[in-house]
Amino acid sequence: MNKILRYSFVALMAMIGLNGMAQGVTFDFDNDYAKLFPTLAGTSSNDSQDGDFTAATTSTAVEGFTVTVSAADEGVRNANRIWSGAPRLRMYSGTFTVSGKGIKKIEFTGHNTNFNLSTTTGSLDGKVWTGEADEVVFAVAKNTQINKLVINGDGSTEPEPQPQVTEATCAEIIAGADGTNYRVTGKCTEIKNTTYGNWYLEDATGTVYIYGTLDAEGKTKNFSSLGIEVGDEITVEGPKKTYNGTVELVNVKVINIKKASQASGQVWDFTKWSDATIANLKADAAASAETGWSDLEAADGSKVNAEGRCFWYQGTVNEDGSLSANGVVIEELKGLKFHADYAAKRSLAIAVDYSSTSLGDYAGGAYLWLGGGGSKQAFPCFTIPAVKAGSKITVELESHKPSDTRGIGLYKNNYDAANLIGEQFKPTTKATNTWEIAEDCDVVVWNTSGCHIYTLKIEAGTASINTVKATQKDGAIYNLAGQKVGKDYKGLVIKNGKKYVIK
């Protein structure tokens, strides 16, 4: 294989989530706020003002460039501040100034909708400013949330060249030279240390030992944050080292994680939201009515105010598809991958005590609400990743409007009519339906219109006799999971499409 991969800076930035920004000087407010603004006591939250800018504050210089955040205008309710969760730099009025020699380009990464800057210098197109100046002053019209920015100008420096990476199999790594940076994909077969991240990676050609795993920020001793489990398919990258005859990749960077098939008996119970989750939802709602979770159905207050009983979402989905409240991943939603376009349309809600609306009374007050209406139905809601053939998915739901039949459909791998699994389930009142999954796939959930899911359960099992290897005519023997077995296997098998029992 031995394919040499040379990554440019742009590609590297895209890989770690910087949207392919150009070369330049980065101001990362999410991770480097303490270094950039050392005079602040900390971050702001519902209980703290430590991150508030009470006067115009200029950052520490980075390669000749600075940014200056003004205090909020008099009479504006919210202070400009470094918030306790990303995006951390949040401004509501005043000015944001970038200074340095020969500024030619500024690229912002920020909230999709809460980004309201303007300037009379140069040209601002979306989140990209171009021109030529030593100072660019941006006026802040209203809620603006910034993760980071990259400045290109005369003071910019070229990044250090990235090391060569050799894409290889385990066998090629074993035969290769120490010190070579390798990229390899395989399954996690055993975890030896959950702090440093020492574990075994295996592919079809062999096994290598992973000695140290970096977290998403490139830090050590935080392996548990990655959520890697035995059976997951992982792509990693790192240098080879041979220690006492053992071939290792040391302090690897994780490129991709593909979760193993869902475990038997996994249940998402949306009728039981923890006190911690509810507290984070309320904190998120108190911080802003326009982004994240809000107990206002419409951000402008023109629709229902649920007063802490139901929270609608309009924000950015995490890179792994999870959702956070107040900067904390919601425990009850873990394992589901939510779709960014759907979430951005304020079409998803968490009800914690919302048992009736003007449309009718419901079976319970706590549920996951999939909203309806217009273009919201153009996008799937969420995905259940890596479901094994033969698994059964059971959903308990009801229509948001009891006089209408509303519900969901399940789709294999992507939302397309040809990929519909079974039939759509559209009850009026609370009811339960079960689908059997015929082959390994990601299961995509799409709602026909507004409905409530109370529980979602997946039961892993062996594949149906009629769906696994039923058409094989090669004389090979398969168990009910579709795995090829030898003649010494005992039990019920399939051979040439027929069932047999080997005793």
Side-chain angles (χ1 to χ4, degrees):
M1 195 170 181
N2 284 331
K3 179 181 177 182
I4 302 296
L5 304 178
R6 296 179 181 268
Y7 294 101
S8 67
F9 184 67
V10 174
L12 179 63
M13 290 299 101
M15 182 177 64
I16 61 175
L18 302 187
N19 299 322
M21 286 184 173
Q23 298 177 4
V25 176
T26 300
F27 284 73
D28 186 343
F29 304 112
D30 286 356
N31 297 300
D32 299 336
Y33 62 90
K35 297 178 182 178
L36 293 171
F37 301 106
T39 60
L40 294 181
T43 60
S44 296
S45 66
N46 294 321
D47 303 315
S48 173
Q49 297 177 327
D50 288 350
D52 287 5
F53 292 96
T54 57
T57 304
T58 300
S59 72
T60 302
V62 181
E63 299 185 25
F65 296 101
T66 62
V67 298
T68 301
V69 180
S70 77
D73 293 340
E74 186 175 352
V76 176
R77 184 182 67 175
N78 292 326
N80 295 336
R81 56 203 180 186
I82 296 293
W83 191 246
S84 56
R88 289 190 185 273
L89 178 57
R90 302 191 179 191
M91 300 184 67
Y92 302 89
S93 59
T95 58
F96 178 78
T97 303
V98 181
S99 303
K101 183 179 178 181
I103 303 169
K104 296 179 176 61
K105 189 174 185 180
I106 305 171
E107 297 177 87
F108 293 88
T109 296
H111 191 276
N112 290 336
T113 54
N114 291 335
F115 189 85
N116 300 283
L117 298 182
S118 62
T119 182
T120 58
T121 304
S123 175
L124 181 62
D125 184 5
K127 295 186 177 71
V128 179
W129 178 91
T130 53
E132 187 162 1
D134 292 338
E135 181 178 87
V136 185
V137 179
F138 296 93
V140 182
K142 57 181 180 178
N143 190 352
T144 295
Q145 301 182 16
I146 303 172
N147 301 91
K148 62 187 66 180
L149 58 87
V150 174
I151 306 168
N152 280 268
D154 293 342
S156 301
T157 59
E158 292 294 323
E160 295 182 3
Q162 299 302 311
Q164 292 184 0
V165 180
T166 301
E167 188 173 320
T169 64
C170 286
E172 289 168 338
I173 293 172
I174 293 169
D178 281 10
T180 303
N181 282 293
Y182 287 105
R183 173 181 284 199
V184 60
T185 299
K187 286 189 176 181
C188 173
T189 58
E190 182 181 1
I191 298 174
K192 302 294 288 186
N193 184 293
T194 57
T195 300
Y196 291 90
N198 301 341
W199 49 284
Y200 288 97
L201 180 145
E202 179 182 303
D203 66 6
T205 69
T207 301
V208 296
Y209 187 50
I210 306 301
Y211 187 74
T213 306
L214 304 179
D215 68 10
E217 296 181 356
K219 299 177 181 178
T220 61
K221 297 193 291 186
N222 193 25
F223 177 73
S224 60
S225 68
L226 297 170
I228 292 175
E229 300 173 296
V230 171
D232 291 349
E233 183 180 273
I234 319 293
T235 301
V236 299
E237 183 180 295
K240 177 191 173 181
K241 178 181 178 181
T242 304
Y243 180 75
N244 288 340
T246 300
V247 173
E248 303 172 348
L249 293 183
V250 180
N251 286 340
V252 300
K253 177 168 57 180
V254 176
I255 306 302
N256 187 57
I257 302 173
K258 183 176 181 180
K259 299 299 294 180
S261 297
Q262 298 286 349
S264 176
Q266 185 166 359
V267 176
W268 291 269
D269 189 345
F270 305 126
T271 69
K272 299 177 181 177
W273 304 98
S274 70
D275 291 342
T277 293
I278 294 172
N280 284 326
L281 290 168
K282 290 181 177 180
D284 221 40
S288 173
E290 299 179 359
T291 183
W293 297 96
S294 174
D295 53 5
L296 299 177
E297 185 172 0
D300 61 5
S302 62
K303 289 188 178 181
V304 177
N305 182 349
E307 297 179 338
R309 296 179 296 118
C310 186
F311 302 88
W312 290 266
Y313 188 72
Q314 180 172 314
T316 304
V317 173
N318 297 328
E319 288 185 10
D320 63 355
S322 65
L323 295 177
S324 295
N326 197 31
V328 179
V329 175
I330 298 174
E331 188 70 29
E332 293 85 351
L333 300 180
K334 283 185 176 179
L336 303 177
K337 299 179 66 173
F338 288 84
H339 291 258
D341 289 326
Y342 188 83
K345 290 184 176 293
R346 213 179 190 89
S347 49
L348 181 76
I350 289 176
V352 298
D353 183 18
Y354 205 60
S355 57
S356 65
T357 68
S358 60
L359 298 179
D361 297 326
Y362 306 120
Y367 43 82
L368 185 68
W369 181 359
L370 307 181
S375 61
K376 295 174 183 178
Q377 269 59 62
F379 307 103
C381 314
F382 59 85
T383 293
I384 310 170
V387 178
K388 188 175 179 60
S391 296
K392 293 181 179 180
I393 295 177
T394 300
V395 175
E396 189 177 36
L397 63 76
E398 69 184 350
S399 170
H400 179 63
K401 186 176 182 180
S403 61
D404 290 354
T405 56
R406 300 179 177 185
I408 63 172
L410 304 188
Y411 295 80
K412 180 181 67 175
N413 294 324
N414 58 72
Y415 171 52
D416 186 280
N419 295 334
L420 179 65
I421 299 171
E423 297 181 355
Q424 293 178 356
F425 178 50
K426 301 186 292 183
T428 52
T429 57
K430 186 178 180 182
T432 301
N433 192 63
T434 298
W435 293 261
E436 183 168 347
I437 308 305
E439 58 184 279
D440 291 0
C441 64
D442 293 337
V443 174
V444 176
V445 178
W446 171 86
N447 68 310
T448 65
S449 193
C451 60
H452 312 152
I453 298 181
Y454 286 94
T455 59
L456 168 62
K457 180 172 68 174
I458 180 168
E459 297 174 283
T462 57
S464 166
I465 294 292
N466 296 322
T467 60
V468 177
K469 304 299 182 182
T471 60
Q472 291 287 344
K473 301 295 183 180
D474 57 1
I477 302 172
Y478 300 87
N479 64 19
L480 298 190
Q483 299 167 324
K484 194 172 182 178
V485 297
K487 294 181 180 180
D488 58 346
Y489 181 87
K490 305 298 183 184
L492 188 60
V493 299
I494 302 170
K495 181 179 179 181
N496 291 337
K498 296 183 180 181
K499 294 181 292 181
Y500 295 92
V501 175
I502 301 178
K503 298 181 179 179

Short mmCIF file of all heavy atoms in Angstrom, two decimals, residues 216-252:
data_model
loop_
_atom_site.label_atom_id
_atom_site.label_comp_id
_atom_site.label_asym_id
_atom_site.label_seq_id
_atom_site.Cartn_x
_atom_site.Cartn_y
_atom_site.Cartn_z
N ALA A 216 -8.91 15.24 21.39
CA ALA A 216 -9.27 16.10 20.25
C ALA A 216 -8.46 17.38 20.21
O ALA A 216 -8.33 18.01 19.15
CB ALA A 216 -10.76 16.43 20.31
N GLU A 217 -7.89 17.80 21.36
CA GLU A 217 -7.09 19.01 21.40
C GLU A 217 -5.60 18.71 21.37
O GLU A 217 -4.77 19.61 21.56
CB GLU A 217 -7.44 19.81 22.67
CG GLU A 217 -8.88 20.32 22.69
CD GLU A 217 -9.19 21.11 23.93
OE1 GLU A 217 -8.31 21.20 24.82
OE2 GLU A 217 -10.31 21.65 24.02
N GLY A 218 -5.24 17.44 21.13
CA GLY A 218 -3.84 17.06 21.06
C GLY A 218 -3.18 16.87 22.41
O GLY A 218 -1.95 16.86 22.51
N LYS A 219 -3.99 16.68 23.45
CA LYS A 219 -3.46 16.51 24.79
C LYS A 219 -3.41 15.03 25.19
O LYS A 219 -4.18 14.22 24.67
CB LYS A 219 -4.30 17.30 25.80
CG LYS A 219 -4.32 18.80 25.54
CD LYS A 219 -5.22 19.52 26.52
CE LYS A 219 -5.25 21.02 26.25
NZ LYS A 219 -6.17 21.73 27.16
N THR A 220 -2.52 14.71 26.12
CA THR A 220 -2.39 13.34 26.61
C THR A 220 -3.27 13.12 27.85
O THR A 220 -3.84 14.05 28.40
CB THR A 220 -0.92 13.04 26.97
OG1 THR A 220 -0.51 13.95 28.01
CG2 THR A 220 -0.03 13.21 25.77
N LYS A 221 -3.34 11.87 28.25
CA LYS A 221 -4.03 11.45 29.49
C LYS A 221 -5.50 11.87 29.53
O LYS A 221 -6.03 12.22 30.57
CB LYS A 221 -3.28 11.96 30.72
CG LYS A 221 -1.87 11.39 30.85
CD LYS A 221 -1.26 11.66 32.21
CE LYS A 221 -0.95 13.11 32.42
NZ LYS A 221 -0.23 13.35 33.70
N ASN A 222 -6.16 11.81 28.37
CA ASN A 222 -7.59 12.14 28.31
C ASN A 222 -8.29 11.19 27.35
O ASN A 222 -9.20 11.58 26.61
CB ASN A 222 -7.78 13.59 27.88
CG ASN A 222 -9.20 14.08 28.10
OD1 ASN A 222 -9.93 13.56 28.94
ND2 ASN A 222 -9.62 15.07 27.33
N PHE A 223 -7.87 9.93 27.35
CA PHE A 223 -8.37 8.94 26.40
C PHE A 223 -9.88 8.76 26.51
O PHE A 223 -10.57 8.59 25.50
CB PHE A 223 -7.66 7.61 26.63
CG PHE A 223 -8.14 6.48 25.76
CD1 PHE A 223 -7.82 6.43 24.41
CD2 PHE A 223 -8.89 5.44 26.29
CE1 PHE A 223 -8.25 5.40 23.60
CE2 PHE A 223 -9.33 4.40 25.49
CZ PHE A 223 -9.00 4.37 24.14
N SER A 224 -10.41 8.79 27.72
CA SER A 224 -11.83 8.52 27.92
C SER A 224 -12.72 9.51 27.18
O SER A 224 -13.86 9.19 26.84
CB SER A 224 -12.18 8.52 29.41
OG SER A 224 -11.88 9.78 29.99
N SER A 225 -12.20 10.73 26.92
CA SER A 225 -13.01 11.73 26.23
C SER A 225 -13.34 11.34 24.79
O SER A 225 -14.28 11.87 24.21
CB SER A 225 -12.29 13.08 26.23
OG SER A 225 -11.13 13.04 25.41
N LEU A 226 -12.58 10.42 24.23
CA LEU A 226 -12.79 10.01 22.83
C LEU A 226 -13.91 9.00 22.69
O LEU A 226 -14.44 8.80 21.59
CB LEU A 226 -11.50 9.42 22.26
CG LEU A 226 -10.31 10.39 22.18
CD1 LEU A 226 -9.03 9.62 21.82
CD2 LEU A 226 -10.58 11.49 21.17
N GLY A 227 -14.26 8.31 23.77
CA GLY A 227 -15.34 7.33 23.72
C GLY A 227 -15.03 6.07 22.94
O GLY A 227 -15.94 5.39 22.47
N ILE A 228 -13.76 5.74 22.78
CA ILE A 228 -13.38 4.55 22.03
C ILE A 228 -13.70 3.30 22.85
O ILE A 228 -13.41 3.23 24.04
CB ILE A 228 -11.88 4.58 21.67
CG1 ILE A 228 -11.62 5.70 20.66
CG2 ILE A 228 -11.41 3.25 21.12
CD1 ILE A 228 -10.15 5.90 20.33
N GLU A 229 -14.28 2.30 22.16
CA GLU A 229 -14.64 1.04 22.80
C GLU A 229 -14.13 -0.12 21.96
O GLU A 229 -13.87 0.03 20.76
CB GLU A 229 -16.15 0.92 22.95
CG GLU A 229 -16.77 2.03 23.79
CD GLU A 229 -18.28 1.97 23.78
OE1 GLU A 229 -18.87 2.16 22.71
OE2 GLU A 229 -18.87 1.72 24.85
N VAL A 230 -13.99 -1.27 22.59
CA VAL A 230 -13.61 -2.48 21.86
C VAL A 230 -14.63 -2.75 20.77
O VAL A 230 -15.84 -2.69 20.99
CB VAL A 230 -13.51 -3.69 22.83
CG1 VAL A 230 -13.32 -4.98 22.05
CG2 VAL A 230 -12.36 -3.50 23.81
N GLY A 231 -14.15 -3.02 19.57
CA GLY A 231 -15.02 -3.26 18.42
C GLY A 231 -15.15 -2.08 17.49
O GLY A 231 -15.55 -2.24 16.34
N ASP A 232 -14.81 -0.87 17.97
CA ASP A 232 -14.87 0.31 17.11
C ASP A 232 -13.78 0.24 16.03
O ASP A 232 -12.69 -0.29 16.27
CB ASP A 232 -14.65 1.58 17.92
CG ASP A 232 -15.80 1.88 18.87
OD1 ASP A 232 -16.84 1.22 18.75
OD2 ASP A 232 -15.64 2.77 19.72
N GLU A 233 -14.09 0.76 14.86
CA GLU A 233 -13.11 0.85 13.78
C GLU A 233 -12.47 2.25 13.85
O GLU A 233 -13.17 3.25 13.74
CB GLU A 233 -13.76 0.64 12.42
CG GLU A 233 -12.78 0.65 11.27
CD GLU A 233 -13.45 0.42 9.93
OE1 GLU A 233 -13.61 -0.75 9.56
OE2 GLU A 233 -13.81 1.42 9.28
N ILE A 234 -11.14 2.29 14.02
CA ILE A 234 -10.45 3.54 14.27
C ILE A 234 -9.38 3.77 13.21
O ILE A 234 -8.67 2.85 12.82
CB ILE A 234 -9.75 3.52 15.66
CG1 ILE A 234 -10.63 2.87 16.72
CG2 ILE A 234 -9.32 4.92 16.05
CD1 ILE A 234 -11.87 3.62 17.06
N THR A 235 -9.27 5.01 12.77
CA THR A 235 -8.14 5.44 11.94
C THR A 235 -7.25 6.34 12.78
O THR A 235 -7.73 7.33 13.35
CB THR A 235 -8.61 6.19 10.69
OG1 THR A 235 -9.47 5.34 9.92
CG2 THR A 235 -7.42 6.61 9.83
N VAL A 236 -5.97 5.96 12.89
CA VAL A 236 -5.04 6.74 13.70
C VAL A 236 -3.80 7.07 12.88
O VAL A 236 -3.53 6.47 11.84
CB VAL A 236 -4.61 5.98 14.97
CG1 VAL A 236 -5.82 5.69 15.85
CG2 VAL A 236 -3.88 4.69 14.63
N GLU A 237 -3.02 8.01 13.43
CA GLU A 237 -1.81 8.45 12.75
C GLU A 237 -0.75 8.75 13.81
O GLU A 237 -1.02 9.44 14.79
CB GLU A 237 -2.14 9.70 11.96
CG GLU A 237 -1.04 10.28 11.13
CD GLU A 237 -1.53 11.51 10.40
OE1 GLU A 237 -2.42 11.38 9.54
OE2 GLU A 237 -1.03 12.61 10.71
N GLY A 238 0.46 8.20 13.63
CA GLY A 238 1.52 8.46 14.60
C GLY A 238 2.81 7.75 14.22
O GLY A 238 2.85 6.93 13.29
N PRO A 239 3.90 8.06 14.95
CA PRO A 239 5.21 7.48 14.63
C PRO A 239 5.37 6.06 15.18
O PRO A 239 4.88 5.74 16.26
CB PRO A 239 6.18 8.45 15.32
CG PRO A 239 5.39 8.98 16.48
CD PRO A 239 3.97 9.08 16.01
N LYS A 240 6.11 5.25 14.42
CA LYS A 240 6.39 3.87 14.84
C LYS A 240 7.59 3.84 15.78
O LYS A 240 8.57 4.56 15.61
CB LYS A 240 6.67 2.99 13.63
CG LYS A 240 7.05 1.55 14.03
CD LYS A 240 7.60 0.74 12.87
CE LYS A 240 8.13 -0.60 13.36
NZ LYS A 240 8.69 -1.42 12.28
N LYS A 241 7.46 2.95 16.78
CA LYS A 241 8.56 2.69 17.69
C LYS A 241 8.54 1.21 18.03
O LYS A 241 7.47 0.63 18.22
CB LYS A 241 8.44 3.53 18.96
CG LYS A 241 9.52 3.28 19.99
CD LYS A 241 9.30 4.14 21.23
CE LYS A 241 10.35 3.88 22.29
NZ LYS A 241 10.11 4.71 23.51
N THR A 242 9.71 0.58 18.11
CA THR A 242 9.80 -0.81 18.54
C THR A 242 10.40 -0.85 19.94
O THR A 242 11.51 -0.36 20.16
CB THR A 242 10.65 -1.65 17.58
OG1 THR A 242 10.10 -1.53 16.26
CG2 THR A 242 10.65 -3.11 17.99
N TYR A 243 9.64 -1.41 20.91
CA TYR A 243 10.09 -1.45 22.29
C TYR A 243 10.05 -2.88 22.79
O TYR A 243 8.99 -3.50 22.85
CB TYR A 243 9.18 -0.57 23.16
CG TYR A 243 9.57 -0.55 24.62
CD1 TYR A 243 10.67 0.18 25.06
CD2 TYR A 243 8.83 -1.27 25.55
CE1 TYR A 243 11.04 0.20 26.40
CE2 TYR A 243 9.18 -1.26 26.89
CZ TYR A 243 10.29 -0.53 27.32
OH TYR A 243 10.64 -0.52 28.64
N ASN A 244 11.25 -3.42 23.11
CA ASN A 244 11.36 -4.82 23.57
C ASN A 244 10.65 -5.78 22.63
O ASN A 244 9.96 -6.71 23.06
CB ASN A 244 10.82 -4.97 24.99
CG ASN A 244 11.73 -4.34 26.03
OD1 ASN A 244 12.92 -4.12 25.77
ND2 ASN A 244 11.19 -4.04 27.20
N GLY A 245 10.79 -5.53 21.34
CA GLY A 245 10.21 -6.42 20.34
C GLY A 245 8.77 -6.14 19.98
O GLY A 245 8.22 -6.75 19.07
N THR A 246 8.13 -5.21 20.70
CA THR A 246 6.73 -4.86 20.41
C THR A 246 6.66 -3.65 19.50
O THR A 246 7.28 -2.61 19.79
CB THR A 246 5.96 -4.56 21.71
OG1 THR A 246 5.98 -5.71 22.55
CG2 THR A 246 4.52 -4.19 21.42
N VAL A 247 5.94 -3.79 18.40
CA VAL A 247 5.76 -2.68 17.46
C VAL A 247 4.65 -1.77 17.98
O VAL A 247 3.53 -2.22 18.25
CB VAL A 247 5.42 -3.18 16.05
CG1 VAL A 247 5.07 -2.02 15.13
CG2 VAL A 247 6.59 -3.97 15.49
N GLU A 248 4.97 -0.48 18.13
CA GLU A 248 4.03 0.48 18.68
C GLU A 248 3.87 1.68 17.74
O GLU A 248 4.79 2.03 17.01
CB GLU A 248 4.52 1.00 20.04
CG GLU A 248 4.77 -0.07 21.08
CD GLU A 248 5.43 0.49 22.33
OE1 GLU A 248 5.90 1.67 22.29
OE2 GLU A 248 5.47 -0.24 23.33
N LEU A 249 2.71 2.30 17.81
CA LEU A 249 2.52 3.66 17.33
C LEU A 249 2.32 4.51 18.57
O LEU A 249 1.47 4.20 19.42
CB LEU A 249 1.32 3.78 16.39
CG LEU A 249 1.43 3.07 15.04
CD1 LEU A 249 0.18 3.35 14.20
CD2 LEU A 249 2.67 3.50 14.28
N VAL A 250 3.09 5.59 18.70
CA VAL A 250 3.19 6.33 19.95
C VAL A 250 2.44 7.66 19.86
O VAL A 250 2.59 8.41 18.90
CB VAL A 250 4.67 6.56 20.31
CG1 VAL A 250 4.77 7.32 21.63
CG2 VAL A 250 5.41 5.23 20.39
N ASN A 251 1.63 7.94 20.91
CA ASN A 251 0.89 9.21 21.01
C ASN A 251 0.19 9.54 19.69
O ASN A 251 0.44 10.58 19.07
CB ASN A 251 1.81 10.35 21.43
CG ASN A 251 2.18 10.26 22.90
OD1 ASN A 251 1.50 9.61 23.69
ND2 ASN A 251 3.28 10.90 23.28
N VAL A 252 -0.69 8.65 19.29
CA VAL A 252 -1.34 8.78 18.00
C VAL A 252 -2.41 9.86 18.03
O VAL A 252 -2.99 10.17 19.07
CB VAL A 252 -1.97 7.45 17.55
CG1 VAL A 252 -0.93 6.36 17.43
CG2 VAL A 252 -3.10 7.03 18.49
#
